[in-house]
Amino acid sequence: MAEERILLIVGGGIAAYKSLELVRLCRKAGLAVRPILTQAGAEFVTPLSLAALAEDKVYSELFSLTDEAEMGHIELSRSADLVVVAPATADLMAKAAAGLASDLASTTLLATDKPVLMAPAMNVRMWEHPATRRNLAQLKADGVLFVGPDEGPMACGEYGEGRMAEPPAILAAIQAALSVAGARPLAGKRAIVTAGPTAEPIDPVRVITNRSSGKQGFAIAGALAELGAQVTLVAGPVAQPTPPGVTRLDVETAREMLEACEAALPAEIAVCVAAVADWRPQTAGARKLKKGADGPPPIALVENPDILATLAKSPKRPRLVIGFAAETHDLEENARAKLAKKGCDWIVANDVSLPGVMGGDDNTVAIVSRGGVERWDRLSKGAVARKLAERIAEELS
Ligand code: CTP
């Protein structure tokens, strides 16, 4: 197996001296370490000690001619299996939580698509400050992993929580994160994901559609692919980039979406996230409707096929069929009813009464199955996707 690669960001705190020991332990454990040293970090440890222990070049400037020529900052952020921030200072946490890209370390954190592990280190009052609590909650919602901090006497003479975790504990957290990141438990499994709205023609220029952004469905397709699944993403009209490793089929109507899903069978997993139009105009004329003396034309609607229910009762039924339900009230009761009606295995019930869910980046969901209900905290849509993909992998293992 190829050597696993850590990108280690060393922030400016007295705990930086422990990062040298961390580098030594990582190297001993067979991990490659590429260090980024912030300007403040360089006040505590020298680039030379870091480079000598890491046996690699130390990167520190965003627009350095020599650094960028060797490895651009975007490439740097992608070249690792795991990004580790140790010490993660209050400043680095705040920058990452806000998505700032003001130096090499913060730009790398914003540009990476790899898991991030932070080992915070700061004075106890900075750690307990509401601003740091907010940043911590935001970073956790974004899927960032944490190790420590520990409680104890501090370099500043105070006592409390805020000491960076010890290097062996950080190494253990690194190894745990790598084994999750490196595992591809869905390798060899096929998955179908529907996402986005559908658009149902009234005439050649007009459609009935809805405001679904497709964000959650695309994130799920990407997360399943990251775990090794072979994913067919059947997408209604949305402006989302195709996640890496996913086969995308663009469709417009519910009937086209169903046809594409059935053609993608057999599969072990189906996740129906699309906001399929429940009805379509009975006749979509070949000619554009014109305004006339008779006033607005009546539009007769007929029901669309239910893709989720059709997949759930197909002779080629995937082993795990999952639907989504957007609810504003009686979340679990409604989800349970939907589970029975559609014949699927899980309903991911989505509380859309909460502010910022529709079209936003966060989601608060509960997984309803015949076995019971699992409530998840508010998470980013990316984190919901990763957690769901992991639950799916667990279920099929
Ligand atoms: N679904 C589908 N095909 C349809 C309608 C819905 O595949 N024609 C799927 C959606 O992708 C989602 C679930 O069914 O997984 C949502 O069920 P739906 O009955 O549409 O519920 P809501 O949209 O929540 O609406 P309502 O509560 O009004 O029934």
Side-chain angles (χ1 to χ4, degrees):
M1 200 172 124
E3 193 175 43
E4 288 179 297
R5 297 158 307 168
I6 304 295
L7 186 66
L8 174 68
I9 298 176
V10 179
I14 183 64
Y17 80 91
K18 292 200 227 171
S19 304
L20 294 176
E21 173 63 2
L22 176 64
V23 174
R24 200 185 63 78
L25 291 180
C26 286
R27 294 295 296 133
K28 211 171 128 198
L31 302 169
V33 180
R34 175 159 288 154
I36 290 182
L37 183 61
T38 66
Q39 213 177 351
E43 301 287 337
F44 294 90
V45 292
T46 73
L48 196 58
S49 352
L50 208 49
L53 286 164
E55 300 167 85
D56 199 350
K57 180 181 155 63
V58 174
Y59 292 80
S60 34
E61 282 177 54
L62 184 52
F63 297 118
S64 140
L65 269 181
T66 45
D67 286 6
E68 291 277 319
E70 227 167 279
M71 179 163 299
H73 59 275
I74 300 294
E75 183 49 33
L76 199 55
S77 67
R78 291 189 185 141
S79 66
D81 299 301
L82 177 71
V83 181
V84 180
V85 191
T89 58
D91 180 61
L92 269 173
M93 283 178 61
K95 280 180 178 155
L100 286 180
S102 51
D103 53 20
L104 181 60
S106 54
T107 305
T108 302
L109 287 168
L110 191 63
T112 192
D113 56 358
K114 296 298 159 51
V116 176
L117 171 71
M118 290 193 172
M122 67 197 73
N123 162 276
V124 56
R125 272 191 302 279
M126 290 168 81
W127 176 246
E128 284 171 358
H129 193 284
T132 305
R133 308 320 290 176
R134 272 199 306 277
N135 294 335
L136 177 68
Q138 181 60 57
L139 290 167
K140 281 188 174 168
D142 293 345
V144 173
L145 306 165
F146 281 87
V147 50
D150 296 344
E151 193 179 316
M154 312 195 124
C156 52
E158 293 186 54
Y159 185 94
E161 204 179 3
R163 283 167 58 103
M164 187 168 86
E166 293 303 321
I170 302 177
L171 175 63
I174 288 174
Q175 285 169 326
L178 280 174
S179 72
V180 172
R184 291 169 67 78
L186 291 176
K189 302 265 191 302
R190 293 161 58 114
I192 300 170
V193 179
T194 70
T198 63
E200 310 293 336
I202 297 170
D203 68 16
V205 295
R206 301 178 178 97
V207 294
I208 296 180
T209 187
N210 61 68
R211 295 187 202 277
S212 165
S213 69
K215 260 184 211 164
Q216 185 66 80
F218 274 59
I220 289 169
L224 289 168
E226 268 179 30
L227 293 193
Q230 203 179 321
V231 182
T232 303
L233 170 62
V234 185
V238 284
Q240 297 284 344
T242 310
V246 164
T247 305
R248 172 176 181 173
L249 304 173
D250 286 312
V251 298
E252 295 230 322
T253 66
R255 286 183 296 175
E256 287 167 8
M257 190 173 267
L258 176 61
E259 207 175 300
C261 287
E262 288 185 314
L265 287 170
E268 286 79 14
I269 306 153
V271 191
C272 294
V273 199
V276 183
D278 290 314
W279 308 286
R280 67 175 182 276
Q282 188 165 25
T283 48
R287 300 174 63 174
K288 187 180 166 201
L289 295 174
K290 299 299 281 179
K291 284 189 289 293
D294 304 340
I299 299 176
L301 297 174
V302 290
E303 204 160 320
N304 263 331
D306 190 312
I307 298 164
L308 175 62
T310 309
L311 292 176
K313 59 171 193 278
S314 157
K316 294 188 198 163
R317 185 192 197 278
R319 233 175 99 191
L320 194 56
V321 179
I322 303 172
F324 266 68
E327 306 290 352
T328 54
H329 57 280
D330 302 327
L331 191 85
E332 287 162 24
E333 216 175 291
N334 285 332
R336 235 184 294 270
K338 212 159 277 179
L339 194 71
K341 192 172 97 191
K342 308 257 182 176
C344 58
D345 302 296
W346 299 353
I347 285 281
V348 181
N350 201 346
D351 192 344
V352 289
S353 68
L354 298 171
V357 168
M358 289 299 281
D361 292 321
D362 289 350
N363 224 344
T364 305
V365 305
I367 311 296
V368 181
S369 66
R370 275 169 204 90
V373 180
E374 201 178 298
R375 289 174 203 84
W376 294 357
D377 289 340
R378 184 189 179 107
L379 294 168
S380 70
K381 288 183 177 171
V384 167
R386 283 192 291 277
K387 199 164 163 167
L388 184 66
E390 277 162 25
R391 283 288 288 110
I392 290 172
E394 222 174 88
E395 189 71 16
L396 295 183
S397 71

